[in-house]
């Protein structure tokens, strides 16, 4: 049977060349994999708009040691040629390494208290992201919130922009959703039932337009604090609340695990390119508590 001419793709529109992975969600959000986008075309669309991208990164306690490689590799791969403003939250502002940055790119250091519990550092990120966005409104267009113990290895650019952007967690993308480590206790505000959930999203990388990320950070913070008043901490702190939020408020763009891989994991055939990856670390040595 021949295709009706009006629905034939015109020859200059090349459909995604990936058949081995999901490239669109049931709610019609793109899932970004290598081979599904044209980077030159996308950069050409965004460049005349002179967009600016904020980044938050937390480096508290011994995690300060990861900052230099994070910043250096961001210069090589993250929104190269665009305006980027990295906000570093640390308890050791004097130890922040000096990294040469290209024109249009800068760093701001913010002091935060140290903590005796890694869970607290992780969980407080939503509160600080919320308040930062309240300050930045009208100054930046997009924001990405990233784990510091990670490095860029490949392009992360305009293909990742969207309203609300989630990254599929590298540890669970091949699993059935009943295996996802969502918060399963109904008394937590991060609760998801066994039949709920689309993907398991990372707490270590997320972003989007300022107002969208602001709403998510505010909601996750509010729910985390309400849980704390009720004496409960979700299984994976803010990551659990983020997963609940993204189940209800679907991301408008989903990034594949290319956008947050883990160095200790062997590469799977569908991962043609690792763009950003968590370094292998000894938790017992690096965290303030076990
Ligand atoms: C996972 C998540 C992370 C977070 C955490 C649970 C991924 C791949 N990683 O990472 O985002 O959800 O589980 O809460 O999604 N930090 C400090 N100092 C500390 C401890 C943490 O600055 O002493 C900051 C730092 O920016 C770090 C982040 O918190 O990158 C996450 O902590 P983690 O790296 O210990 O968590 P991890 O790798 O298990």
């Amino acid at each position: 049977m021949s295709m009706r001419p009006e629905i034939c793709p015109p020859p200059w529109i090349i459909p995604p060349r990936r058949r081995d992975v999901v490239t669109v969600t049931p709610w019609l959000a793109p899932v970004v994999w290598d081979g599904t986008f044209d980077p030159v075309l996308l950069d050409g669309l965004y460049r005349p708009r002179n967009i600016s991208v904020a980044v938050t990164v937390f480096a508290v306690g011994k995690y300060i040691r990861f900052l230099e490689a994070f910043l250096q590799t961001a210069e090589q791969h993250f929104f190269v040629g665009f305006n980027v403003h990295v906000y570093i939250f640390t308890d050791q502002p004097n130890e922040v390494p000096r990294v040469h940055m290209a024109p249009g790119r800068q760093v701001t250091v913010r002091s935060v208290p140290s903590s005796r519990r890694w869970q607290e550092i992780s969980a407080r990120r939503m509160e600080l992201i919320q308040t930062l966005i309240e300050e930045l409104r009208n100054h930046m267009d997009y924001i990405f919130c990233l784990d510091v113990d990670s490095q860029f290895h490949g392009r992360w650019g305009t293909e990742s922009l969207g309203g609300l952007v989630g990254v599929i967690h590298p540890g669970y993308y091949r699993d059935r959703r009943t295996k996802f480590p969502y918060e399963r206790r109904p008394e937590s505000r991060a609760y998801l039932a066994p039949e709920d959930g689309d993907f398991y999203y990372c707490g270590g990388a997320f972003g989007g337009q300022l107002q969208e990320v602001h709403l998510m950070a505010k909601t996750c913070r509010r729910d985390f604090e309400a849980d704390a008043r009720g004496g409960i901490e979700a299984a994976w702190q803010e990551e659990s609340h983020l997963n609940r939020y993204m189940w209800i408020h679907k991301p408008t763009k989903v990034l594949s695990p290319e956008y947050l891989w883990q160095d200790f994991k062997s590469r799977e055939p569908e991962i043609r390119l690792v763009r950003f990856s968590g370094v292998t670390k000894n938790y017992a040595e690096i965290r303030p508590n076990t």
Side-chain angles (χ1 to χ4, degrees):
M1 201 169 70
S2 63
M3 270 181 151
R4 288 183 22 227
E6 66 269 30
I7 58 167
C8 279
W12 59 92
I13 302 286
I14 303 161
R17 293 181 295 278
R18 297 293 296 261
R19 299 268 175 263
D20 56 332
V21 288
V22 172
T23 57
V24 64
T25 66
W27 61 94
L28 297 180
V31 186
V32 183
W33 295 86
D34 188 49
T36 61
F37 62 92
D38 180 338
V40 176
L41 172 88
L42 279 166
D43 285 356
L45 292 175
Y46 281 99
R47 192 155 283 117
R49 291 171 50 190
N50 197 26
I51 57 157
S52 50
V53 181
V55 176
T56 62
V57 67
F58 290 76
V60 178
K62 293 182 181 172
Y63 278 64
I64 191 97
R65 69 175 68 159
F66 299 117
L67 203 46
E68 187 162 13
F70 175 93
L71 293 171
Q72 274 170 352
T73 58
E75 277 301 287
Q76 291 156 15
H77 300 291
F78 186 80
F79 283 92
V80 174
F82 287 87
N83 302 313
V84 171
H85 196 146
V86 183
Y87 291 85
I88 299 169
F89 293 86
T90 182
D91 56 344
Q92 302 145 80
N94 296 331
E95 300 301 316
V96 170
R98 284 179 185 274
V99 169
H100 175 76
M101 301 186 85
R105 301 167 72 93
Q106 58 177 313
V107 157
T108 294
V109 180
R110 297 274 170 104
S111 282
V112 290
S114 29
S115 175
R116 283 195 302 260
R117 285 184 75 236
W118 64 264
Q119 293 91 337
E120 243 170 54
I121 298 166
S122 168
R124 275 208 71 213
R125 289 192 289 184
M126 287 297 185
E127 177 193 339
L128 291 161
I129 291 164
Q130 179 196 337
T131 46
L132 176 70
I133 295 175
E134 285 162 10
E135 276 177 50
L136 292 185
R137 276 192 184 148
N138 308 323
H139 297 299
M140 306 297 288
D141 300 302
Y142 296 93
I143 185 165
F144 283 97
C145 309
L146 304 174
D147 268 9
V148 72
D149 53 320
S150 319
Q151 295 181 18
F152 294 87
H153 302 282
R155 174 196 162 97
W156 179 325
T158 49
E159 74 284 358
S160 65
L161 297 176
L164 180 63
V165 181
V167 180
I168 303 174
H169 198 293
Y172 303 96
Y173 74 101
R174 287 171 155 225
D175 288 340
R176 302 181 71 79
R177 65 179 163 185
T178 48
K179 286 200 168 172
F180 293 169
Y182 293 143
E183 173 53 58
R184 301 298 189 183
R185 293 166 295 177
E187 54 273 30
S188 167
R189 283 160 182 79
Y191 170 71
L192 283 177
E195 65 278 11
D196 291 346
D198 304 301
F199 301 101
Y200 188 75
Y201 299 103
C202 289
F206 58 88
Q209 286 171 341
L210 259 61
Q211 69 273 23
E212 292 290 335
V213 180
H214 180 257
L215 192 56
M216 182 174 78
K218 191 173 156 187
T219 309
C220 290
R221 174 196 178 182
R222 183 200 65 199
D223 290 352
F224 185 88
E225 289 176 356
D227 269 11
R229 284 194 295 277
I232 189 162
E233 183 175 271
W236 288 102
Q237 297 81 37
E238 93 287 23
E239 185 173 270
S240 304
H241 289 278
L242 174 147
N243 271 280
R244 161 97 197 167
Y245 186 90
M246 288 195 178
W247 161 242
I248 295 164
H249 309 269
K250 307 288 192 209
T252 54
K253 189 167 277 185
V254 176
L255 305 181
S256 69
E258 293 168 10
Y259 289 82
L260 186 41
W261 194 247
Q262 287 163 321
D263 286 356
F264 68 80
K265 278 175 72 68
S266 51
R267 284 271 275 278
E268 303 293 350
E270 61 277 10
I271 306 295
R272 293 186 190 167
L273 175 66
V274 170
R275 300 170 188 278
F276 186 57
S277 182
V279 302
T280 305
K281 57 192 190 285
N282 175 357
Y283 283 108
E285 190 267 321
I286 197 131
R287 281 177 167 170
N289 61 309
T290 47

